[in-house]
């Protein structure tokens, strides 16, 4: 009786692990995706989409992360437009514009 239970558990667990283990299509997407050319990025996204058409439970976690990064990551048109130092440029521009407008209005009033 116990032997049958152990054999069945070994078969089920072996089958489960066997179906979920697969090599990732695009490992370490965060480090390498932005270094690829536009054509290579499109090819990687197409391969990842082909992987996602399979059973969702059989797709590795690394592939899921890679597809999420390729789709929603900060690259190409999703790259942040604000760069370091832009805030100070905007602040200086606003202060300079206010100073110029105050100077012009003071000159016009005194005429």
């Amino acid at each position: 009786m116990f032997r049958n239970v152990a054999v069945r558990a070994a078969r089920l667990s072996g089958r489960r692990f066997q179906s979920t283990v697969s090599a990732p299509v695009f490992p370490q997407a965060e480090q390498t995706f932005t270094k690829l050319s536009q054509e290579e990025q499109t090819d990687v996204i197409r391969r990842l989409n082909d992987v996602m058409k399979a059973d969702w439970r059989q797709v590795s976690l690394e592939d899921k992360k890679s597809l999420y990064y390729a789709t929603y990551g900060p690259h190409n048109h999703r790259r942040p437009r604000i760069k370091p130092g832009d805030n100070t440029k905007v602040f200086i521009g606003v202060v300079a514009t206010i100073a110029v407008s105050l100077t012009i209005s003071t000159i016009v009033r005194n005429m």
Side-chain angles (χ1 to χ4, degrees), residues 53-95:
K53 290 178 184 174
D55 186 14
W56 186 251
R57 292 171 287 189
Q58 292 178 352
V59 176
S60 69
L61 182 62
E62 187 71 28
D63 283 340
K64 291 177 187 177
K65 287 180 181 179
S66 297
L67 184 68
Y68 182 84
Y69 183 81
T71 305
Y72 301 111
H75 52 80
N76 296 341
H77 63 280
R78 293 186 184 270
R79 183 176 298 127
R81 293 183 182 161
I82 299 174
K83 297 175 185 155
D86 282 351
N87 291 337
T88 55
K89 291 178 186 177
V90 169
F91 179 74
I92 291 171
V94 168
V95 169

Coordinates of all heavy atoms in Angstrom, one line a residue, residues 53-95:
K53 N 2.7 31.6 -26.2 CA 1.5 30.9 -26.8 C 1.4 29.6 -26.2 O 0.3 29.0 -26.2 CB 1.6 30.9 -28.3 CG 1.5 32.2 -28.9 CD 1.7 32.1 -30.4 CE 1.6 33.5 -31.1 NZ 1.9 33.4 -32.5
A54 N 2.4 29.0 -25.6 CA 2.3 27.7 -24.9 C 1.6 27.8 -23.6 O 1.1 28.9 -23.2 CB 3.7 27.2 -24.7
D55 N 1.5 26.7 -22.9 CA 0.8 26.7 -21.6 C 1.5 27.7 -20.7 O 2.7 27.6 -20.5 CB 0.7 25.3 -21.1 CG -0.1 25.2 -19.8 OD1 -0.8 26.2 -19.5 OD2 0.0 24.2 -19.1
W56 N 0.8 28.6 -20.1 CA 1.4 29.6 -19.2 C 2.1 29.0 -18.0 O 3.1 29.5 -17.6 CB 0.3 30.6 -18.7 CG 0.8 31.7 -18.0 CD1 0.7 32.0 -16.7 CD2 1.5 32.9 -18.5 NE1 1.3 33.2 -16.3 CE2 1.8 33.7 -17.5 CE3 2.0 33.2 -19.8 CZ2 2.5 34.9 -17.6 CZ3 2.6 34.4 -19.9 CH2 2.9 35.2 -18.9
R57 N 1.7 27.9 -17.5 CA 2.3 27.3 -16.4 C 3.7 26.6 -16.8 O 4.5 26.4 -15.9 CB 1.4 26.2 -15.8 CG 0.2 26.9 -15.1 CD -0.8 25.8 -14.7 NE -1.4 25.3 -16.0 CZ -2.4 24.5 -16.1 NH1 -3.0 24.1 -15.0 NH2 -2.9 24.2 -17.2
Q58 N 3.9 26.3 -18.0 CA 5.1 25.7 -18.5 C 6.2 26.7 -18.8 O 7.4 26.3 -19.0 CB 4.9 24.8 -19.7 CG 4.0 23.6 -19.4 CD 3.8 22.8 -20.6 OE1 4.1 23.2 -21.7 NE2 3.2 21.6 -20.4
V59 N 5.9 28.0 -18.9 CA 6.8 29.0 -19.2 C 7.6 29.3 -18.0 O 7.1 29.5 -16.9 CB 6.1 30.3 -19.7 CG1 7.1 31.4 -20.0 CG2 5.3 29.9 -21.0
S60 N 8.9 29.4 -18.1 CA 9.8 29.7 -17.0 C 9.6 31.1 -16.5 O 9.2 32.0 -17.2 CB 11.3 29.5 -17.4 OG 11.7 30.5 -18.3
L61 N 9.9 31.3 -15.3 CA 9.8 32.7 -14.6 C 10.7 33.7 -15.3 O 10.4 34.8 -15.5 CB 10.1 32.6 -13.2 CG 10.0 33.9 -12.4 CD1 8.6 34.4 -12.4 CD2 10.4 33.7 -10.9
E62 N 11.9 33.2 -15.8 CA 12.9 34.1 -16.5 C 12.3 34.6 -17.8 O 12.4 35.7 -18.1 CB 14.2 33.3 -16.7 CG 15.3 34.2 -17.3 CD 15.8 35.2 -16.3 OE1 15.8 34.9 -15.1 OE2 16.3 36.2 -16.7
D63 N 11.6 33.7 -18.5 CA 11.0 34.1 -19.8 C 9.8 35.1 -19.5 O 9.6 36.1 -20.3 CB 10.4 32.9 -20.5 CG 11.5 32.1 -21.2 OD1 12.6 32.7 -21.4 OD2 11.3 31.0 -21.6
K64 N 9.1 34.9 -18.4 CA 8.0 35.9 -18.1 C 8.6 37.2 -17.8 O 8.1 38.3 -18.2 CB 7.2 35.3 -16.9 CG 6.4 34.1 -17.2 CD 5.6 33.6 -16.0 CE 4.9 32.3 -16.3 NZ 4.3 31.8 -15.1
K65 N 9.7 37.2 -17.0 CA 10.3 38.5 -16.7 C 10.9 39.2 -17.9 O 10.8 40.4 -18.1 CB 11.4 38.3 -15.7 CG 10.9 38.0 -14.3 CD 12.1 37.8 -13.3 CE 11.7 37.4 -11.9 NZ 12.8 37.2 -11.0
S66 N 11.5 38.4 -18.8 CA 12.1 38.9 -20.0 C 11.0 39.5 -20.9 O 11.2 40.6 -21.5 CB 12.8 37.8 -20.8 OG 13.8 37.3 -20.1
L67 N 9.9 38.9 -21.1 CA 8.8 39.4 -21.9 C 8.2 40.7 -21.3 O 7.9 41.6 -22.0 CB 7.7 38.4 -22.1 CG 6.6 38.8 -23.0 CD1 7.1 38.9 -24.5 CD2 5.4 37.9 -23.0
Y68 N 8.0 40.7 -20.0 CA 7.5 41.9 -19.3 C 8.5 43.1 -19.5 O 8.1 44.2 -19.9 CB 7.3 41.6 -17.8 CG 6.8 42.8 -17.1 CD1 5.4 43.1 -17.1 CD2 7.6 43.8 -16.5 CE1 4.9 44.2 -16.5 CE2 7.1 44.9 -15.8 CZ 5.7 45.1 -15.8 OH 5.2 46.2 -15.2
Y69 N 9.8 42.8 -19.4 CA 10.8 43.9 -19.6 C 10.8 44.4 -21.0 O 10.8 45.6 -21.3 CB 12.2 43.4 -19.2 CG 13.2 44.5 -19.3 CD1 13.3 45.5 -18.3 CD2 14.0 44.6 -20.5 CE1 14.2 46.5 -18.5 CE2 14.9 45.7 -20.6 CZ 15.0 46.6 -19.6 OH 15.9 47.6 -19.7
A70 N 10.7 43.4 -22.0 CA 10.7 43.8 -23.4 C 9.5 44.6 -23.8 O 9.5 45.4 -24.6 CB 10.8 42.5 -24.3
T71 N 8.4 44.3 -23.1 CA 7.1 45.0 -23.5 C 7.0 46.3 -22.7 O 6.6 47.3 -23.3 CB 5.9 44.1 -23.1 OG1 6.1 42.8 -23.8 CG2 4.6 44.7 -23.6
Y72 N 7.3 46.3 -21.5 CA 7.0 47.5 -20.6 C 8.3 48.2 -20.1 O 8.2 49.1 -19.3 CB 6.1 47.2 -19.5 CG 4.8 46.6 -19.9 CD1 4.5 45.3 -19.7 CD2 3.9 47.4 -20.6 CE1 3.3 44.7 -20.1 CE2 2.7 46.9 -21.0 CZ 2.4 45.6 -20.7 OH 1.2 45.0 -21.1
G73 N 9.5 47.7 -20.4 CA 10.7 48.2 -19.9 C 11.1 49.6 -20.3 O 10.5 50.1 -21.3
P74 N 12.0 50.3 -19.6 CA 12.4 51.7 -20.0 C 13.4 51.7 -21.1 O 14.6 51.9 -20.9 CB 13.0 52.2 -18.7 CG 13.5 51.0 -18.0 CD 12.6 49.8 -18.4
H75 N 12.9 51.5 -22.3 CA 13.8 51.5 -23.5 C 13.0 52.0 -24.7 O 11.7 52.0 -24.6 CB 14.4 50.1 -23.8 CG 13.4 49.1 -23.9 ND1 12.6 48.9 -25.0 CD2 12.9 48.2 -23.0 CE1 11.8 47.8 -24.8 NE2 11.9 47.4 -23.6
N76 N 13.7 52.4 -25.7 CA 13.0 53.0 -26.9 C 12.0 54.1 -26.6 O 12.4 55.1 -26.0 CB 12.4 51.9 -27.7 CG 13.4 50.9 -28.2 OD1 14.6 51.2 -28.3 ND2 13.0 49.7 -28.6
H77 N 10.8 53.9 -26.9 CA 9.8 55.0 -26.7 C 9.4 55.1 -25.3 O 8.7 56.0 -24.9 CB 8.6 54.8 -27.6 CG 7.8 53.6 -27.4 ND1 8.2 52.3 -27.9 CD2 6.7 53.3 -26.7 CE1 7.4 51.4 -27.5 NE2 6.4 52.0 -26.8
R78 N 9.7 54.1 -24.4 CA 9.4 54.2 -23.0 C 10.5 54.7 -22.2 O 10.4 54.8 -21.0 CB 9.0 52.8 -22.5 CG 7.7 52.3 -23.1 CD 7.3 51.0 -22.5 NE 6.1 50.5 -23.1 CZ 4.9 50.7 -22.7 NH1 4.7 51.5 -21.7 NH2 3.9 50.2 -23.3
R79 N 11.6 55.1 -22.8 CA 12.7 55.7 -22.1 C 12.3 57.0 -21.4 O 11.6 57.8 -22.0 CB 13.9 55.9 -23.0 CG 15.1 56.4 -22.3 CD 16.3 56.6 -23.3 NE 16.6 55.3 -23.9 CZ 16.7 55.0 -25.2 NH1 16.5 56.0 -26.0 NH2 17.0 53.9 -25.6
P80 N 12.7 57.2 -20.1 CA 12.3 58.4 -19.5 C 12.9 59.6 -20.2 O 14.1 59.6 -20.6 CB 13.0 58.3 -18.1 CG 13.2 56.8 -17.9 CD 13.4 56.2 -19.2
R81 N 12.1 60.6 -20.4 CA 12.6 61.8 -21.1 C 13.4 62.8 -20.3 O 14.1 63.6 -20.8 CB 11.4 62.5 -21.7 CG 10.7 61.7 -22.8 CD 9.5 62.4 -23.4 NE 8.9 61.6 -24.4 CZ 7.7 61.7 -24.8 NH1 7.0 62.8 -24.4 NH2 7.2 60.9 -25.7
I82 N 13.1 62.7 -19.0 CA 13.8 63.6 -18.0 C 15.2 63.0 -17.7 O 15.2 61.9 -17.2 CB 13.0 63.9 -16.8 CG1 11.7 64.5 -17.2 CG2 13.8 64.7 -15.8 CD1 10.7 64.7 -16.0
K83 N 16.2 63.7 -17.9 CA 17.6 63.3 -17.6 C 18.1 64.0 -16.3 O 17.5 65.0 -16.0 CB 18.5 63.5 -18.8 CG 18.1 62.8 -20.0 CD 19.0 63.2 -21.2 CE 18.4 62.5 -22.4 NZ 18.7 63.2 -23.6
P84 N 19.1 63.5 -15.7 CA 19.6 64.1 -14.5 C 20.1 65.5 -14.9 O 20.8 65.7 -15.9 CB 20.8 63.3 -14.1 CG 20.5 61.9 -14.7 CD 19.7 62.2 -15.9
G85 N 19.7 66.5 -14.1 CA 20.1 67.9 -14.4 C 19.1 68.7 -15.1 O 19.2 69.9 -15.2
D86 N 18.0 68.1 -15.7 CA 17.0 68.8 -16.4 C 16.2 69.7 -15.4 O 15.7 70.7 -15.8 CB 16.1 67.8 -17.1 CG 16.7 67.3 -18.4 OD1 17.7 67.8 -18.8 OD2 16.1 66.4 -19.0
N87 N 16.0 69.2 -14.2 CA 15.2 70.0 -13.2 C 15.9 71.4 -12.9 O 15.2 72.4 -12.8 CB 15.0 69.2 -11.9 CG 14.1 68.0 -12.1 OD1 13.3 68.0 -13.0 ND2 14.2 67.0 -11.3
T88 N 17.2 71.3 -12.8 CA 17.9 72.6 -12.5 C 17.8 73.6 -13.7 O 17.7 74.8 -13.6 CB 19.3 72.4 -12.2 OG1 20.0 71.6 -13.2 CG2 19.4 71.6 -10.8
K89 N 17.8 73.0 -15.0 CA 17.7 73.8 -16.2 C 16.3 74.5 -16.2 O 16.2 75.6 -16.6 CB 17.9 73.0 -17.4 CG 19.4 72.5 -17.6 CD 19.5 71.6 -18.8 CE 20.8 71.0 -19.0 NZ 20.9 70.1 -20.1
V90 N 15.3 73.7 -15.9 CA 14.0 74.3 -15.9 C 13.8 75.3 -14.8 O 13.2 76.4 -15.1 CB 12.9 73.1 -15.7 CG1 11.5 73.7 -15.4 CG2 12.9 72.2 -16.9
F91 N 14.3 75.1 -13.7 CA 14.3 76.1 -12.6 C 15.0 77.4 -13.0 O 14.4 78.5 -12.8 CB 14.9 75.5 -11.3 CG 14.8 76.5 -10.1 CD1 13.7 76.8 -9.5 CD2 16.0 77.1 -9.7 CE1 13.6 77.7 -8.4 CE2 16.0 78.0 -8.7 CZ 14.8 78.3 -8.0
I92 N 16.2 77.3 -13.5 CA 16.9 78.5 -13.9 C 16.2 79.2 -15.1 O 16.1 80.4 -15.1 CB 18.4 78.1 -14.4 CG1 19.1 77.6 -13.1 CG2 19.1 79.2 -15.1 CD1 20.5 77.0 -13.5
G93 N 15.6 78.5 -16.0 CA 14.8 79.1 -17.1 C 13.6 79.9 -16.6 O 13.3 81.0 -17.0
V94 N 12.9 79.3 -15.6 CA 11.7 79.9 -15.0 C 12.1 81.2 -14.3 O 11.5 82.3 -14.4 CB 10.9 79.0 -14.1 CG1 9.9 79.7 -13.3 CG2 10.3 77.9 -14.9
V95 N 13.2 81.1 -13.5 CA 13.7 82.3 -12.7 C 14.1 83.4 -13.7 O 13.8 84.6 -13.5 CB 14.8 81.9 -11.7 CG1 15.5 83.1 -11.1 CG2 14.2 81.0 -10.6

